[in-house]
Amino acid sequence: MRDTPRSGDGTRPEEDPIPALRFGVNYTPRRGWFHSWHDFDPEHAREDLAQIAGLGLDHVRVFHLWPLLQPNRTLIRTAAVDQLLRLVDLAAEAGLDVMVDGVQGHLSSFDFYPEWTRSWHHRNVFTDPEAIEAQAQLLSTLGHALADRPNLIGLQLGNELNNLVEHNPVTPAEVDHYLDTLLAAAREGLPPGRLVTHSAYDAAWYGDDHPFTPEASAHKGDVTTVHPWVFSANCARRYGPRSFEVLHLAEYGTELAKAYADDPARPVWVQETGAPEPHIPAADAPHLARATLLNAAECADLWGVTWWCSHDVDRSLADYPELEYTLGLFDSAGRPKPIAEEFARTVAELRARSTAPRPRTTALVLDCTPATRSVSGPGGAYFEAWMRLREEGGRPAVVLAERAEDTRHLAARGIERTVRLP
């Protein structure tokens, strides 16, 4: 596994090497989508992973399905865990590192609940003590099973678990307990140096009163993950598919995440972003991919970018939202699309760079409460002010109002002056 060196106090002395950015893709099996876990075929996976590695990418994020891993609250299927280990080993053969998501309750508009959480046995997955205990046991089991894989980046709790809030009401305090419990379980079996993380879709950052908070994302786990999708808050439709706002959305999401962190040098991972049609016409997708990578790379402490996703969903599969069918770098026949070629070119260009991003010496002050978080999302006053400053040639950071007078915090981030909204 590749390391990103950092000195003990979080700074990067000039003599230190510049940490290498990571570039990868969220792996969606070409044949059968994630239903392929029902009849896992190593040769099919090997072919998919070879295509991904052929773009010069260094990692994949992978997803098994929760009902297949844990069909009963007290049963974790050894055969399903072995499938996951086999996929990790196949990725190693292709020269790819792997991030494993554990509790897979949500993927591409479908929710995957084990039957023991549903119908007559319904349990709130965030608040029921036995449901939490079962998920913790699953993550602990996966951590122990994966511990000796040298290409393992780490273990994530699951994909955008906050998508399950609609059917599992929860408070911010209950979310904190849930995340703390599961993160501890995931870490239990892993050796030092492996990441333990969690992820949330954009409502955590700019959804008023959403129970998954920015602080939970920015304080818990080893890395802050962001999923800056251009369809969130109608960003692409509001501003246009080639707009400045869309092309700089991942950069903005990274800077917003940094503002909420206690550690000024906490890494941020752009873990999902993509070019969903019709929000982004296919002809504009290569340009979006290049701009997203180049602009995100202008952020200090960026861990890397992981594109959603590797392969298109085959149209023989029914009932996906239209945007889900064409998100891949490869089409459903395994052919690289123009976006794949541009993505690969841009990654190679960024890897050839020898200088770190310049510090952002000016910060725009974000003053909001949980009930007014939407000001920092597309269409919000703060979001649009930040974008104006950026378009005028500035490189603004984001600083929370409660830290705007904290000279030590500002200095640690290289911020020399703050600007407030009119």
Side-chain angles (χ1 to χ4, degrees):
M1 189 179 73
R2 299 162 181 83
D3 293 323
T4 53
R6 184 182 304 282
S7 63
D9 63 357
T11 63
R12 293 197 196 101
E14 289 191 14
E15 64 270 17
D16 279 359
I18 297 166
L21 292 178
R22 308 299 303 270
F23 296 104
V25 67
N26 293 277
Y27 173 45
T28 50
R30 178 167 73 86
R31 298 171 180 87
W33 193 64
F34 296 104
H35 304 302
S36 60
W37 286 113
H38 288 271
D39 51 0
F40 178 68
D41 187 324
E43 290 307 311
H44 289 168
R46 179 180 278 115
E47 181 182 326
D48 291 347
L49 293 166
Q51 292 168 352
I52 293 167
L55 296 180
L57 304 183
D58 60 58
H59 71 275
V60 290
R61 180 171 162 234
V62 302
F63 314 85
H64 210 316
L65 298 181
W66 187 12
L68 299 185
L69 285 165
Q70 195 175 34
N72 183 273
R73 183 167 60 83
T74 56
L75 171 64
I76 297 171
R77 294 178 59 240
T78 301
V81 175
D82 288 345
Q83 287 178 330
L84 180 59
L85 297 178
R86 181 70 174 126
L87 181 61
V88 173
D89 291 342
L90 289 170
E93 290 178 15
L96 296 166
D97 290 342
V98 180
M99 186 69 175
V100 172
D101 276 41
V103 179
Q104 231 48 261
H106 178 87
L107 286 164
S108 299
S109 84
F110 287 94
D111 292 343
F112 294 90
Y113 291 101
E115 287 306 310
W116 55 269
T117 70
R118 296 161 58 92
S119 63
W120 290 2
H121 299 271
H122 177 73
R123 297 170 183 267
N124 185 313
V125 299
F126 296 130
T127 62
D128 182 274
E130 291 182 330
I132 296 172
E133 180 184 6
Q135 292 170 78
Q137 185 58 51
L138 173 58
L139 289 162
S140 175
T141 299
L142 293 178
H144 282 94
L146 291 161
D148 64 349
R149 265 47 184 190
N151 64 322
L152 180 73
I153 295 171
L155 182 57
Q156 180 156 278
L157 303 190
N159 179 55
E160 296 187 344
L161 290 166
N162 62 327
N163 266 299
L164 305 181
V165 164
E166 183 176 353
H167 302 111
N168 299 270
V170 63
T171 67
E174 290 167 334
V175 168
D176 285 348
H177 171 71
Y178 172 82
L179 294 176
D180 289 341
T181 303
L182 267 59
L183 287 166
R187 198 179 304 280
E188 190 177 278
L190 292 177
R194 301 298 188 261
L195 297 181
V196 175
T197 65
H198 67 101
S199 72
Y201 81 95
D202 286 339
W205 299 100
Y206 37 76
D208 290 341
D209 284 326
H210 188 74
F212 279 70
T213 65
E215 289 81 4
S217 288
H219 298 173
K220 299 180 185 299
D222 297 324
V223 173
T224 303
T225 65
V226 294
H227 294 187
W229 280 102
V230 300
F231 51 69
S232 292
N234 287 319
C235 185
R237 288 179 173 162
R238 185 187 301 272
Y239 301 107
R242 295 179 68 93
S243 64
F244 189 90
E245 290 83 357
V246 164
L247 300 181
H248 288 261
L249 185 63
E251 175 191 359
Y252 171 76
T254 301
E255 291 300 321
L256 181 63
K258 286 175 64 65
Y260 282 96
D262 289 333
D263 176 4
R266 179 176 167 91
V268 178
W269 180 354
V270 178
Q271 194 181 60
E272 281 187 29
T273 188
E277 296 182 52
H279 299 265
I280 306 296
D284 291 333
H287 179 64
L288 172 71
R290 177 172 175 78
T292 294
L293 290 172
L294 293 177
N295 292 328
E298 288 298 309
C299 299
D301 301 302
L302 180 72
W303 185 91
V305 179
T306 309
W307 199 257
W308 190 283
C309 57
S310 64
H311 294 78
D312 284 353
V313 177
D314 195 300
R315 287 191 178 272
S316 65
L317 297 173
D319 300 329
Y320 293 81
E322 180 61 27
L323 65 86
E324 295 286 351
Y325 283 102
T326 55
L327 280 168
L329 297 178
F330 299 89
D331 67 20
S332 58
R335 296 171 297 219
K337 295 156 62 175
I339 187 176
E341 297 164 359
E342 189 62 36
F343 194 86
R345 280 194 293 268
T346 308
V347 166
E349 179 182 322
L350 286 168
R351 287 195 175 129
R353 289 188 176 181
S354 58
T355 57
R358 292 181 289 113
R360 295 178 181 246
T361 57
T362 299
L364 184 63
V365 177
L366 172 59
D367 191 358
C368 69
T369 68
T372 61
R373 211 181 299 169
S374 57
V375 299
S376 61
Y382 182 88
F383 176 91
E384 296 191 340
W386 190 95
M387 288 291 176
R388 282 195 301 273
L389 286 174
R390 186 71 179 92
E391 193 167 15
E392 290 166 0
R395 299 176 67 254
V398 179
V399 65
L400 302 182
E402 56 265 33
R403 291 175 173 157
E405 307 300 329
D406 184 342
T407 55
R408 185 173 180 178
H409 174 82
L410 298 177
R413 295 181 57 194
I415 296 170
E416 298 173 359
R417 74 184 188 103
T418 59
V419 178
R420 294 183 179 269
L421 293 182

